[in-house]
Amino acid sequence: MKRLLAVLICVAVFMTGCSEADKVNANISQQADYFECERKITVYNARTDMIILEAEGYMSISNNNSGELVCTVKTGPSQYKKNYIYLNDYTMYVVEDITGTHTDPYHYKMYFHTEIPVSVETKP
């Protein structure tokens, strides 16, 4: 009986330790990992204040041990693309949640901001 009471007290203390914001942040992160949130990633060169890259779509992001931002994008009902964005001392990124309604839930855009045009072919 004492053990049960101790467990219930621990659970009550643990549950009250989480704020509403903590719960919402965990839920939003989980939704993004299930490709339910549209995001926009903007990568900046911190030395020049120039935008290097922008990407939009239903994506899950993470960082790996190689200094890269791993961006997995859903492009179809069971189709995904995995992109790597290299990060260093002079680059930073911002991720925005831009969830809204779209007729095409698998759309995906990438914009490279360079002085010399980059030739990239994309296929739906």
Side-chain angles (χ1 to χ4, degrees):
M1 186 67 167
K2 286 182 182 180
R3 227 179 193 176
L4 179 60
L5 183 60
V7 169
L8 288 175
I9 290 172
C10 286
V11 168
V13 168
F14 177 73
M15 294 302 278
T16 58
C18 294
S19 70
E20 183 178 358
D22 292 335
K23 293 174 190 174
V24 169
N25 286 333
N27 289 340
I28 289 173
S29 294
Q30 185 177 20
Q31 284 179 311
D33 285 339
Y34 283 99
F35 305 100
E36 295 171 355
C37 297
E38 184 179 13
R39 292 172 153 181
K40 178 179 178 182
I41 298 173
T42 306
V43 180
Y44 296 93
N45 180 324
R47 292 174 85 187
T48 64
D49 294 331
M50 300 290 291
I51 296 173
I52 299 169
L53 167 78
E54 291 179 83
E56 273 182 32
Y58 290 84
M59 59 186 79
S60 173
I61 61 170
S62 62
N63 293 98
N64 66 15
N65 294 333
S66 300
E68 297 166 326
L69 176 65
V70 181
C71 178
T72 307
V73 182
K74 187 169 189 175
T75 59
S78 296
Q79 297 174 336
Y80 304 89
K81 292 188 184 270
K82 193 170 191 175
N83 301 293
Y84 297 90
I85 302 167
Y86 180 73
L87 303 172
N88 60 32
D89 292 340
Y90 303 110
T91 55
M92 62 178 241
Y93 66 92
V94 175
V95 180
E96 300 174 68
D97 183 349
I98 57 171
T99 302
T101 359
H102 297 284
T103 55
D104 181 5
Y106 307 114
H107 82 281
Y108 152 54
K109 301 176 186 178
M110 288 189 92
Y111 304 98
F112 289 90
H113 295 266
T114 61
E115 292 180 19
I116 302 169
V118 177
S119 176
V120 177
E121 180 181 346
T122 58
K123 296 180 182 179

